[in-house]
Amino acid sequence: MKKSLRFSLLGMLMLVCSSAFAENVIWSEDWSAYEKNDVPSAKNTAYSEVGNGTKVYAENLAGGTAPELLIGKNNGSFTAVVDLKGNSGEMTLTWLANYDRLTVTAEGAVLGEKTKTGNSYTIPVTVNAGSTKVIFTFTNSNPSNVRFDDVELYQGEAKKNAGLSWGTASREVTIGSDSNVFPELSNENGLTVVYSSSDETVATIDAEGVIELLAAGETVISAAFEGNDEYEAQTVSYTLRVKEGTTPSVEIPELTTCAVVLTEGVDGELYHVKGTCKEIQNPDYGNWILEDETGEILIYGTLDAEGNTKNFTSLGIEEGDVVEVCGPRKTFKTTTIELVDVTVLSITKKDVGTGISELAADKAQAEVYNLRGQRVAQPQRGLYIIGGKKVVMK
């Protein structure tokens, strides 16, 4: 008897837990059946919209998954006639929007106070006795457009929207520019997200959301939350367009030591150091430890002979080689000082006493040559010989 009672109580507990977030969805719309520039009434006679540009856009500024509805400025609106399907009583209306610009009215129901979490909006709905339908109208009286997505009317408890948003559909940046401004993820609920870049040859994004530009092109930057018992899963993205930067030339600074770079160096300035390759940590990107008689420093990224990234193995650097490099200083997370995307000036093999610095350049005058002695018509990033001098193209 006790055993049966225990199992019955356990079963009831599991039922309560599993239904804690159960919801009866009465109406939902995410515009997934629509194409760019469609208007809602074209596919659903229960929908209507007032002009002022109200139509479907193939973007996700509201924070849902594209496409989404743009409700036009200056009193543009969207109206939905919702069949209650025999349901009545207390309900909840939710939607996503990139701005708090929408006024909501209802016929056949009384609306409670609107609340906002991130880009997710919620209004309690009390259906009038005898109502078989409710007419919801979303109006934008603001002089700017608003994006609208993932609207839902339901009864019961539901998971909360994660509330993630980049606030933009695209951004254009330039390699090497100091004026680049990257979108910041709005994550008001402090959820754990995973960042990704669809093309890591163009740009990468690390676990902290820091972007590194690598080449001209286009990539999609995403932040994904996998969902939990309280919040729904959500992925938000934007398109990052990367343009090639200019290639100013800078003469190589005087040789210095690791200790000077670490204790007296300034982030962003170029430094020229020489030491032994103590440890190779990432042979793809060229992350390794350079050690001289004063200390050691992390080399984070090494350019090949043509100034390209992710081609470290082409240089033939091995642990024990004496390597001379030049690159800008950077402090990572306030604690790790490193030289990033360095240019290799010379390599002296641990058992062979020759290196790149021994290449003759006495015939180089106004022309630009690479370290192989080949003339270069359009130099990119890297080390070149111009007028008999070694010059770094940044």
Side-chain angles (χ1 to χ4, degrees):
M1 182 65 179
K2 290 183 179 180
K3 185 175 181 180
S4 298
L5 179 60
R6 185 182 302 128
F7 283 159
S8 297
L9 290 173
L10 179 60
M12 291 177 62
L13 179 60
M14 291 176 65
L15 180 62
V16 170
C17 291
S18 63
S19 63
F21 293 100
E23 60 178 312
N24 173 29
V25 177
I26 297 163
W27 169 60
S28 66
E29 181 60 78
D30 62 5
W31 315 109
S32 58
Y34 290 71
E35 302 292 336
K36 180 180 179 180
N37 295 326
D38 281 348
V39 293
S41 58
K43 288 184 179 290
N44 192 332
T45 56
Y47 295 163
S48 60
E49 65 286 321
V50 174
N52 298 326
T54 297
K55 60 182 178 180
V56 171
Y57 271 66
E59 297 173 347
N60 63 340
L61 297 187
T65 301
E68 64 189 10
L69 185 68
L70 180 149
I71 299 181
K73 58 189 177 181
N74 298 324
N75 295 316
S77 68
F78 164 70
T79 297
V81 180
V82 178
D83 182 355
L84 296 177
K85 305 172 186 176
N87 295 285
S88 61
E90 302 299 322
M91 301 182 183
T92 304
L93 179 68
T94 63
W95 70 91
L96 300 179
N98 61 332
Y99 293 110
D100 190 4
R101 297 172 179 166
L102 295 177
T103 300
V104 187
T105 59
E107 297 179 34
V110 176
L111 302 182
E113 183 178 355
K114 179 177 67 175
T115 58
K116 174 180 181 293
T117 302
N119 61 338
S120 178
Y121 298 81
T122 301
I123 290 182
V125 178
T126 302
V127 176
N128 295 342
S131 292
T132 60
K133 64 182 179 181
V134 176
I135 302 175
F136 293 104
T137 299
F138 300 81
T139 304
N140 176 22
S141 58
N142 196 279
S144 299
N145 298 325
V146 64
R147 301 303 179 90
F148 176 77
D149 202 4
D150 290 359
V151 61
E152 188 174 273
L153 177 68
Y154 64 88
Q155 284 183 309
E157 295 293 330
K159 291 183 179 181
K160 302 174 185 177
N161 182 270
L164 304 178
S165 176
W166 288 110
T168 185
S170 63
R171 183 62 54 88
E172 186 173 277
V173 293
T174 302
I175 294 175
S177 173
D178 294 331
S179 60
N180 289 333
V181 178
F182 295 94
E184 293 187 11
L185 180 69
S186 175
N187 183 9
E188 294 184 9
N189 297 311
L191 303 175
T192 300
V193 299
V194 176
Y195 296 100
S196 64
S197 169
S198 64
D199 189 344
E200 292 193 339
T201 65
V202 173
T204 61
I205 183 167
D206 66 16
E208 305 298 324
V210 178
I211 291 177
E212 180 180 6
L213 305 180
L214 301 175
E218 186 172 294
T219 185
V220 176
I221 301 297
S222 300
F225 169 64
E226 65 178 9
N228 58 25
D229 288 342
E230 184 176 3
Y231 293 96
E232 293 180 341
Q234 185 183 16
T235 298
V236 291
S237 306
Y238 71 93
T239 300
L240 183 66
R241 299 184 179 93
V242 182
K243 298 194 302 182
E244 190 67 62
T246 57
T247 56
S249 61
V250 180
E251 288 197 21
I252 298 171
E254 294 293 325
L255 185 68
T256 189
T257 66
C258 291
V260 169
V261 177
L262 293 170
T263 61
E264 303 177 24
V266 177
D267 282 1
E269 295 291 329
L270 284 176
Y271 291 94
H272 173 194
V273 295
K274 182 176 182 179
T276 302
C277 176
K278 180 180 179 181
E279 177 188 355
I280 297 175
Q281 298 181 342
N282 188 318
D284 295 322
Y285 288 88
N287 301 346
W288 51 285
I289 302 295
L290 182 146
E291 181 181 45
D292 66 8
E293 66 277 4
T294 69
E296 60 184 47
I297 191 167
L298 172 63
I299 305 299
Y300 192 88
T302 305
L303 305 180
D304 66 12
E306 302 298 332
N308 301 312
T309 60
K310 297 185 180 180
N311 193 25
F312 177 72
T313 55
S314 68
L315 298 170
I317 296 175
E318 301 174 293
E319 293 179 1
D321 291 348
V322 176
V323 187
E324 186 178 359
V325 300
C326 179
R329 190 187 113 142
K330 177 181 178 181
T331 302
F332 180 68
K333 291 186 177 180
T334 72
T335 58
T336 303
I337 297 174
E338 55 197 28
L339 295 181
V340 298
D341 290 339
V342 301
T343 298
V344 176
L345 306 181
S346 71
I347 305 170
T348 302
K349 304 299 292 180
K350 53 187 174 183
D351 54 357
V352 179
T354 60
I356 294 176
S357 61
E358 297 173 7
L359 292 176
D362 55 342
K363 294 182 180 181
Q365 297 178 15
E367 294 85 359
V368 179
Y369 293 84
N370 62 26
L371 296 183
R372 298 189 182 97
Q374 301 166 324
R375 186 173 177 180
V376 180
Q378 294 181 331
Q380 302 299 314
R381 293 190 301 171
L383 178 65
Y384 298 90
I385 299 171
I386 303 177
K389 294 183 178 181
K390 290 180 180 177
V391 173
V392 176
M393 289 292 193
K394 296 179 64 181

